[in-house]
Amino acid sequence: CDDDAAVYDAVSKAIELGYRHVDTATHYDTEAAVAAAIGDAVARGRVAHPRDVRVCTKVWFDDLGSEATRRSVLASKRTLGDSLEAVLVHFPGSIDAVQSPAANRRLRAETWAALDALKAEGIVRRVGLSNYVARHVREHAKAGRAVPDLVQFESHVYNANAELVALWRDVA
């Protein structure tokens, strides 16, 4: 959304209605408006502490890799503060027409290691993966990486994604 006021209003109204989870991403460029709405909700007494509204953000594929992921998450933490609950890998690799599967595998591994370290340091409470397809799930599990605290993928009546659901159940 390109309209910070619309984001602020939507999050404010959601908090007023009792919502306590906000999903965003660095790529959406909404973190500042989300943080402002949460800060104002605290100031108005709608929630006692920023931590009462849990925010999940995502690292965009331009920020994959050890150092870039760390920079991205620390910037999100500065913006979102104590509301930052979880950080996910937004997408498992480059969407460029000319891409390197080997480079993407390396970047996924580095990114996951960086997220795991940030969790261990207490910067974020939960880490996870988003938009991974079956081959990425198998790669993640085969590499012996920690099971994500949460995953996001498309699943609904028109796209049940049964294979992916089953794979994540097996991995967990």
Side-chain angles (χ1 to χ4, degrees):
C1 180
D2 292 333
D3 186 350
D4 285 349
V7 172
Y8 174 91
D9 290 344
V11 172
S12 294
K13 186 65 170 178
I15 293 169
E16 180 182 326
L17 292 171
Y19 286 81
R20 294 298 181 263
H21 180 269
V22 178
D23 183 82
T24 189
T26 56
H27 185 67
Y28 304 158
D29 197 25
T30 56
E31 291 179 345
V34 168
I38 293 169
D40 286 351
V42 172
R44 291 187 173 113
R46 297 200 189 281
V47 293
H49 191 276
R51 211 178 9 239
D52 295 339
V53 179
R54 296 175 178 179
V55 177
C56 174
T57 194
K58 296 170 210 76
V59 175
W60 189 238
F61 63 78
D62 290 342
D63 292 320
L64 297 182
S66 297
E67 291 306 313
T69 294
R70 185 169 187 82
R71 278 192 306 275
S72 175
V73 173
L74 291 175
S76 292
K77 180 68 174 182
R78 279 190 300 277
T79 301
L80 295 164
D82 286 343
S83 294
L84 183 58
E85 169 79 13
V87 177
L88 311 181
V89 178
H90 199 150
F91 195 80
S94 170
I95 61 169
D96 296 335
V98 180
Q99 55 180 306
S100 166
N104 281 338
R105 276 192 300 279
R106 179 185 52 76
L107 288 170
R108 283 191 293 276
E110 287 179 11
T111 300
W112 185 255
L115 289 179
D116 225 15
L118 289 158
K119 180 182 173 185
E121 294 169 34
I123 305 295
V124 297
R125 294 184 284 280
R126 301 183 196 289
V127 294
L129 304 170
S130 180
N131 297 308
Y132 273 42
V133 296
R135 70 183 174 89
H136 300 122
V137 175
R138 288 186 193 99
E139 171 191 294
H140 187 85
K142 184 178 177 185
R145 297 182 189 120
V147 175
D149 296 311
L150 55 133
V151 295
Q152 268 186 4
F153 57 90
E154 182 180 12
S155 181
H156 49 79
V157 69
Y158 298 111
N159 181 14
N161 234 328
E163 178 187 17
L164 201 53
V165 171
L167 273 170
W168 279 119
R169 283 188 180 139
D170 289 345
V171 168

